[in-house]
Amino acid sequence: MRRLVIFMGCAVLLILIGRGVAMAEVHTQAVEYRQGDTVLEGFLAYDDSFTGKRPGMLVAHDWTGVGPYVKGRCEQLARLGYVAFAADIYGKGIRPKAKEDAAKEAGIYLNDRALMRARVKAGLEELKKQDLVDPGRIAAIGYCFGGAAVLELARSGANIAGVVVFHGTLSNPNPADARNIKAKVLVLHGADDPFADRKQVNAFIDEMRKTDVDWQLVLYGGAVHGFTLPDAGNDPKKGVAYDERADRRSWQAMKDFLGEIFK
Amino acid sequence: MRRLVIFMGCAVLLILIGRGVAMAEVHTQAVEYRQGDTVLEGFLAYDDSFTGKRPGMLVAHDWTGVGPYVKGRCEQLARLGYVAFAADIYGKGIRPKAKEDAAKEAGIYLNDRALMRARVKAGLEELKKQDLVDPGRIAAIGYCFGGAAVLELARSGANIAGVVVFHGTLSNPNPADARNIKAKVLVLHGADDPFADRKQVNAFIDEMRKTDVDWQLVLYGGAVHGFTLPDAGNDPKKGVAYDERADRRSWQAMKDFLGEIFK
């Protein structure tokens, strides 16, 4: 009889927990803010089923700007218990679709790292202002172009806990700035990435080895550029392709990293 | 009242679970076996609190042979639910203590990869024979010299699920053999390892990139050779040093990897 009561009690608990999960909702909204005179439009996501202040995650977009991809990543991060904010580097409404336009837009910031830093920092400040964010616990992640953006944020000496770079642009016109990095750095990279290639990876390693930065680099065999982008197709020969295995593993590596820096 | 019953019931369950954990015991024993005419002595560990057949983990020792270090790792693996077996590459009683002796002994096998393969394969066969092991679910891990041993096991075409290499010797006198690898490969390496240095790491990457092997490489910034060895001291300038951070992270990376290959 007692066992039955225990069983029934635990069953009731499980049902209540289950309902709680089903009722959880990820709240999302566009957020307008500025850097200098430029109007930017980011995207905020958090999960109502978590309570109280929580770590904030800044998400830097790939070369297409704040679109469905980074918004989806923000929602995933929200479900993990973070307040996620996709920073807008390009400016409100600038969401290039064609490759040529995206490359041109990304090039503006890759060739003007001071402007890139200003834009990503504006996103960081906006994230810190959010009521639910614990401003002492912030990390940033970036995809492709956004990888360069979060690395520049770190190189600016930003006082954040960590940055995670997924198939990022690793080039650095000012290698000595690596010494300013306070954040822990995790770079998740395709071993066959032809855009951020072996030469660029080795230059990044050389740069990091001259510092006291806490950094890690993971190379995923067989993966090319854009390996976390489901829309990138599945032909690695094109140099950009989705790789389910590397996507899953890199997300796990990010979760381990965040678990460590926010414990 | 009902809540109290649920609470009491759950408390009783927790106490019972707690007692189960407290009663769990890691069983360990020396195991004598042979390769050709050579008598070898390995070390077996499993946890009695797990039931039924389970994955087997082959552990390849560093250059000091089967000693307290790898035995401790076997016990850790046993507590994770694996049957762990430290293979003896050197032969019963050969446990060099002085560096010169260890280097000399390791050199025999590093210069005779066929013999190294025969010895590590003998360990694999011994592990597979154990009653509690599911012979279809086997992985191998190796430290330093043992990293070379498990890589040679993989290069021999062994039908195992994965190999994990901690600060391993990555040199390969027969690079084309990398194509024989069936196991998934995870290499966990110090970015400042002066023994398996950048040149060796880059050669390993080149070797892997010519194959279809599922491989991953993690570089830990600031870590040198032997970063998981608590007895290695804490002066990276010596080229060998313990690094608590890289030790913890590499163990987590191994657990994620095993979770994936044995799911």
Side-chain angles (χ1 to χ4, degrees), chain A residues 125-161:
Chain A
E125 294 312 315
E126 193 59 33
L127 171 62
K128 281 181 170 174
K129 277 185 210 163
Q130 302 301 319
D131 285 345
L132 289 172
V133 171
D134 174 352
R137 294 196 296 162
I138 304 277
I141 72 172
Y143 294 89
C144 310
F145 166 78
V150 296
L151 283 172
E152 286 299 337
L153 180 65
R155 290 177 192 130
S156 76
N159 197 14
I160 58 175

Side-chain angles (χ1 to χ4, degrees), chain B:
Chain B
M1 175 59 197
R2 187 166 182 178
R3 280 190 188 166
L4 183 66
V5 171
I6 294 170
F7 174 77
M8 291 292 288
C10 288
V12 168
L13 277 176
L14 286 173
I15 289 164
L16 289 172
I17 292 165
R19 286 192 63 176
V21 170
M23 284 158 62
E25 205 170 278
V26 173
H27 173 92
T28 64
Q29 69 181 86
V31 176
E32 206 173 280
Y33 63 111
R34 282 169 184 272
Q35 182 271 316
D37 293 334
T38 307
V39 179
L40 307 165
E41 189 177 76
F43 178 84
L44 183 72
Y46 55 86
D47 187 329
D48 284 325
S49 67
F50 292 85
T51 54
K53 286 189 185 289
R54 62 204 78 167
M57 292 293 300
L58 192 71
V59 180
H61 56 73
D62 61 274
W63 71 356
T64 61
V66 178
Y69 178 72
V70 282
K71 288 179 180 176
R73 291 295 180 186
C74 286
E75 291 179 31
Q76 278 182 281
L77 290 166
R79 280 189 288 270
L80 293 177
Y82 301 105
V83 175
F85 183 64
D88 179 11
I89 315 287
Y90 288 168
K92 185 173 177 175
I94 302 179
R95 308 291 183 251
K97 284 202 170 64
K99 270 184 194 175
E100 303 71 38
D101 298 337
K104 198 175 162 189
E105 195 62 31
I108 295 171
Y109 302 89
L110 288 169
N111 293 317
D112 184 348
R113 300 294 176 116
L115 181 59
M116 183 185 250
R117 287 186 189 187
R119 290 285 166 88
V120 69
K121 272 186 175 177
L124 174 63
E125 294 313 315
E126 193 58 34
L127 171 62
K128 281 180 170 175
K129 277 186 210 161
Q130 302 301 317
D131 285 345
L132 289 173
V133 171
D134 174 353
R137 293 197 296 161
I138 304 276
I141 72 172
Y143 294 89
C144 309
F145 166 78
V150 297
L151 282 172
E152 285 300 338
L153 180 65
R155 290 176 192 131
S156 77
N159 197 14
I160 57 176
V163 299
V164 184
V165 178
F166 295 84
H167 42 83
T169 304
L170 303 176
S171 65
N172 180 4
N174 306 298
D177 280 7
R179 291 198 183 86
N180 302 332
I181 297 176
K182 292 183 190 120
K184 293 175 195 289
V185 175
L186 175 64
V187 171
L188 307 166
H189 208 76
D192 290 334
D193 189 324
F195 299 108
D197 62 4
R198 284 292 293 287
K199 200 177 153 196
Q200 199 176 105
V201 170
N202 279 327
F204 176 80
I205 293 172
D206 289 338
E207 188 182 311
M208 286 294 115
R209 288 183 70 196
K210 288 179 189 140
T211 70
D212 291 326
V213 175
D214 176 354
W215 67 277
Q216 302 169 75
L217 167 74
V218 186
L219 289 180
Y220 298 105
V224 294
H225 198 63
F227 61 78
T228 71
L229 306 171
D231 291 344
N234 57 7
D235 183 4
K237 288 197 193 82
K238 292 184 176 164
V240 186
Y242 181 65
D243 183 321
E244 187 275 333
R245 203 165 63 185
D247 181 22
R248 180 169 32 81
R249 290 171 178 171
S250 59
W251 191 253
Q252 181 61 47
M254 179 204 71
K255 285 199 289 185
D256 289 342
F257 179 78
L258 297 178
E260 181 191 314
I261 66 178
F262 292 137
K263 75 181 171 192

Side-chain angles (χ1 to χ4, degrees), chain A residues 59-71 73 87 89-90 94-96 102 105-106 141-147 149 166-167 225-226 228-229:
Chain A
V59 180
H61 56 74
D62 61 273
W63 69 356
T64 60
V66 178
Y69 179 71
V70 283
K71 288 179 180 176
R73 291 295 181 186
I89 316 288
Y90 288 168
I94 303 180
R95 308 291 183 255
E105 195 62 31
I141 72 172
Y143 294 89
C144 310
F145 166 78
F166 295 84
H167 42 82
H225 198 63
T228 71
L229 307 171

Side-chain angles (χ1 to χ4, degrees), chain A residues 5 192 209 219 249 256 260, chain B residues 5 192 209 249 256 260:
Chain A
V5 171
D192 291 333
R209 289 183 70 196
L219 289 180
R249 290 171 177 172
D256 289 342
E260 181 192 313
Chain B
V5 171
D192 290 334
R209 288 183 70 196
R249 290 171 178 171
D256 289 342
E260 181 191 314

Side-chain angles (χ1 to χ4, degrees), chain A residues 231-252:
Chain A
D231 291 343
N234 57 8
D235 183 4
K237 288 197 192 82
K238 292 185 176 164
V240 186
Y242 181 65
D243 183 322
E244 186 276 332
R245 203 165 63 187
D247 180 22
R248 183 168 31 81
R249 290 171 177 172
S250 59
W251 192 253
Q252 182 61 47

